[in-house]
Every structure is written in structure tokens, then in C-alpha cells.
């Protein structure tokens, strides 16, 4: 197990280093921040002074060397716009994004797994067919269009929920959260549902396919033959065996929810990291863009590492085959 963990840790570290190179080079070529940040009537001397002050006069390899040296010490640069450490600015927005992502994930799993199992146990029933048809809609409709539809129905026509913003927050474990106040919770519902719809559809289809496969196995038939109730067969035998691929998808999708909640945060004006990224791209604030991308890479790599460990614990054959490879 230790050898397996060390190997996976080494692969994760290599992935982070490779992404650091790609991110830094990619951001370097999106434009010159000085053209956006400085007064259009500035003189050449002012432009040269600003370029030197921001460290943009150095060759690319020197800028990357400085970035890498500082990053090892936890410094991902200073924002060109705000004049503050980029990491601090992002971390201020992180709780809002994490809260949105976790609530969306809970909705996806809490609703997606039971519906998928139900559809798998009754594939030809009306409910099963309806669930699968609904999952196709979740896949097919663009995320931003789903968001606007939710706003139109529940905020504009019915007036039940607010259309945007985060609402009232309160402190919980040192962070500002909105789900503990009614005003904050009412602001959270629509963006969380919007972010969850695609993942929920994915989990429904995955749970349904695995349930169909597991339900036909001999040990399930044997369990039924012993007289076990349908509920016990599902909860004890089927759920346990379909959870391996579901856990993998949940882990991967949590990372993507945190990293790519940009559309939902923009549609609902949710003050998270995604909206900060859009603003930073418009202003070519390179340190914030690089810090955001590196933080999301670290989050996704860490989640994948944890998922691999959980996966190997659920099925020891995984780590044995990895070690032999």
C-alpha cells in the first residue's frame, strides 16, 4: 500500500509541475497587461517604468524561474490590479465557490443515485423511462440556458427565489457561509441546482447502468432466493457494488465543479472564484489568472489522489495491478 501511495504521489507531483509550465506559458501569450493597465496617454518612459516594475521586462524563462521559486514558498505573485497577493484574493473567494460546489454535489448524489438505482431496478416502468428522459435533458441543455430558465421561472414568474448574489452570510468554522441563514439559503438554491443538473444526469445514468449489471449477477439472485427483502438486497448488495465507479465520478466531478463553476457564477452573479477569473482575464491580471489555475490544478490533483486511495481500498485488485505495472 505504501509503495502504491508513493507512486501515485510522484505522479501527482509531476502533473502539477507539467501544468505549471503549460499555465505560465499559456498566460504569457494572451497579451501584454501594460496595454490594459496603463493610461492610454502615457509616455514611452511611463510604459517602460511600469513594465519594469511589474517584472515584465525579463525574458520568459526568467519570469518563470522567479514564479517557480516564489511558488515553492507559497507566493503565487502580486495582483497587477489590486496590488495584493493573488493567493489571498483567491482564497477570499474560495469559500463561496466551495460552498456552491459541495451543495451542488450533495444534490447530485442525494438525488442522482436513488433515481439511477430506481431506473435500473425498473427499466421498463413509466418512472424509469421518465427518469432517463429527464437525464437526457440534463445532458443536452447548455448550462447557461438552464440557469436563465431557472431565473425566469423561479425568480421572475413565480418570485419564489432571488435571481442572483449570495445573500446574508454568517461565520461557520472561521468561514463566511450562506446556507445557515434563510436569506443566504434562498440565494444558494438556484445556482446550486443549476450547477448540479449536469452532474446529476451523469450519476443517474451511471447508477442505472451499474444497477442493471449488478442486478443480474448470481449472488443477487441467491440473495433473493434466500428470501431477503428487496430493500435489503438494494441497500446491502447492489449499492455497495455500484459505488466504486460512482465514487470515482463523484471525486472527478467535484474537482470540475470547483474549477469550472464559472458559467453558473457568472449567470447568478455568485461572488466566487469563477467570477474573479473572468474579471482578471478582462484586465489581463496575470498573477491572479496563474494563481487561480494553479490552485484549481492542485485541488483536482488532490481530489484524484484521494479518489485513487479510496478506490484502492474498495477494490484491492486496483493497487495490486498498479504495482505490477
Amino acid at each position: 500500500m505504501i509503495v502504491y501511495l508513493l507512486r501515485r504521489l510522484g505522479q501527482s507531483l509531476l502533473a502539477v509541475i507539467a501544468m505549471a509550465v503549460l499555465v505560465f506559458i499559456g498566460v504569457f501569450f494572451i497579451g501584454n497587461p501594460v496595454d490594459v493597465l496603463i493610461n492610454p496617454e502615457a509616455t514611452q518612459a511611463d510604459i517602460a517604468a511600469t513594465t519594469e516594475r511589474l517584472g515584465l521586462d525579463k525574458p520568459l524563462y526568467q519570469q518563470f524561474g522567479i514564479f517557480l521559486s516564489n511558488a515553492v514558498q507559497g507566493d503565487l505573485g502580486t495582483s497587477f490590479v489590486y496590488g495584493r497577493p493573488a493567493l489571498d484574493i483567491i482564497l477570499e473567494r474560495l469559500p463561496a465557490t466551495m460552498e456552491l460546489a459541495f451543495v451542488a454535489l450533495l444534490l447530485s448524489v442525494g438525488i442522482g443515485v436513488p433515481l439511477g438505482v430506481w431506473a435500473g431496478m425498473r427499466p421498463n416502468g413509466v418512472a424509469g423511462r421518465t427518469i432517463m428522459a429527464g437525464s437526457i435533458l440534463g445532458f443536452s441543455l447548455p448550462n447557461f440556458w438552464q440557469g436563465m430558465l431557472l431565473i425566469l421561472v423561479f425568480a421572475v414568474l413565480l418570485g419564489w427565489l432571488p435571481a442572483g448574489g449570495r445573500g446574508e452570510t454568517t461565520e461557520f468554522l472561521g468561514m463566511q457561509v450562506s446556507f445557515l441563514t434563510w436569506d443566504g439559503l434562498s440565494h444558494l438554491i438556484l445556482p446550486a441546482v443549476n450547477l448540479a443538473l449536469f452532474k446529476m444526469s451523469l450519476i443517474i445514468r451511471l447508477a442505472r447502468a451499474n444497477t442493471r449489471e449488478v442486478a443480474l449477477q448470481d449472488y443477487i439472485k441467491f440473495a433473493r432466493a434466500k428470501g431477503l427483502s428487496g430493500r435489503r438486497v438494494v441497500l446491502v448488495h447492489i449499492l455497495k457494488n455500484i459505488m466504486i465507479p460512482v465514487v470515482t465520478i463523484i471525486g472527478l466531478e467535484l474537482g470540475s465543479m470547483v474549477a469550472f463553476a464559472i458559467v453558473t457564477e457568472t449567470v447568478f452573479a455568485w461572488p466566487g472564484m469563477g467570477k474573479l477569473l473572468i474579471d482578471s482575464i478582462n484586465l489581463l491580471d496575470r498573477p491572479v489568472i496563474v494563481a487561480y489555475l494553479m490552485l484549481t490544478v492542485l485541488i483536482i490533483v488532490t481530489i484524484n489522489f484521494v479518489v485513487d486511495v479510496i478506490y484502492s481500498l474498495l477494490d484491492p485488485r486496483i493497487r495490486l495491478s498498479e504495482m505490477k505495472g
Side-chain angles (χ1 to χ4, degrees), residues 37-96:
L37 298 173
I38 203 166
N39 190 323
E41 298 179 357
T43 64
Q44 285 299 320
D46 293 333
I47 294 174
T50 303
T51 303
E52 183 178 358
R53 178 172 58 83
L54 298 178
L56 302 176
D57 57 326
K58 298 180 176 60
L60 175 60
Y61 70 90
Q62 282 191 15
Q63 292 185 41
F64 181 69
I66 294 172
F67 164 75
L68 207 59
S69 173
N70 293 333
V72 173
Q73 304 173 48
D75 179 8
L76 295 179
T78 301
S79 167
F80 294 160
V81 176
Y82 303 101
R84 297 172 52 206
L87 191 57
D88 289 353
I89 298 172
I90 294 172
L91 291 180
E92 289 174 0
R93 305 288 191 97
L94 181 62

Side-chain angles (χ1 to χ4, degrees), residues 272-289:
M273 296 194 304
K275 191 170 185 305
L276 174 66
L277 177 65
I278 296 296
D279 296 340
S280 299
I281 290 174
N282 290 332
L283 295 170
L284 289 181
D285 196 353
R286 282 187 193 172
V288 175
I289 299 171

Side-chain angles (χ1 to χ4, degrees), residues 123-317:
N124 298 318
V126 175
R129 292 179 184 274
T130 305
I131 291 170
M132 295 311 295
S135 71
I136 292 174
L137 284 179
F139 271 123
S140 307
L141 299 178
N143 189 247
F144 74 92
W145 193 86
Q146 293 174 357
M148 290 191 292
L149 195 62
L150 289 172
I151 291 174
L152 175 66
V153 174
F154 293 100
V156 178
L157 297 179
L158 298 176
W160 290 352
L161 297 167
R166 198 181 179 195
E168 183 184 355
T169 61
T170 185
E171 188 170 327
F172 177 70
L173 298 177
M175 296 185 299
Q176 291 296 317
V177 297
S178 57
F179 65 88
L180 292 180
T181 66
W182 169 246
D183 183 59
L185 187 61
S186 64
H187 282 78
L188 179 60
I189 292 174
L190 287 185
V193 169
N194 179 234
L195 189 59
L197 282 176
F198 181 84
K199 317 300 178 188
M200 192 187 302
S201 302
L202 184 67
I203 291 176
I204 286 174
R205 301 186 74 82
L206 186 66
R208 188 230 185 223
N210 284 282
T211 300
R212 293 291 301 146
E213 182 180 347
V214 172
L216 299 176
Q217 299 297 316
D218 290 339
Y219 62 88
I220 297 297
K221 296 176 182 175
F222 182 69
R224 293 184 189 281
K226 286 198 307 182
L228 296 181
S229 66
R231 176 178 297 181
R232 184 172 176 79
V233 170
V234 170
L235 295 179
V236 176
H237 297 284
I238 293 181
L239 266 183
K240 177 183 176 183
N241 287 284
I242 70 170
M243 286 311 291
I244 291 177
V246 172
V247 167
T248 304
I249 291 299
I250 290 171
L252 296 176
E253 292 305 314
L254 175 60
S256 70
M257 280 181 172
V258 174
F260 308 117
I262 299 171
V263 174
T264 297
E265 291 186 358
T266 303
V267 170
F268 290 92
W270 187 261
M273 296 194 304
K275 191 170 185 305
L276 174 66
L277 177 65
I278 296 296
D279 296 340
S280 299
I281 290 174
N282 290 332
L283 295 170
L284 289 181
D285 196 353
R286 282 187 193 172
V288 175
I289 299 171
V290 172
Y292 173 88
L293 294 175
M294 288 309 303
L295 190 62
T296 54
V297 167
L298 282 174
I299 290 173
I300 291 175
V301 167
T302 302
I303 290 174
N304 282 336
F305 177 75
V306 173
V307 168
D308 285 342
V309 172
I310 295 174
Y311 203 78
S312 67
L313 292 175
L314 289 173
D315 188 352
R317 293 173 298 178

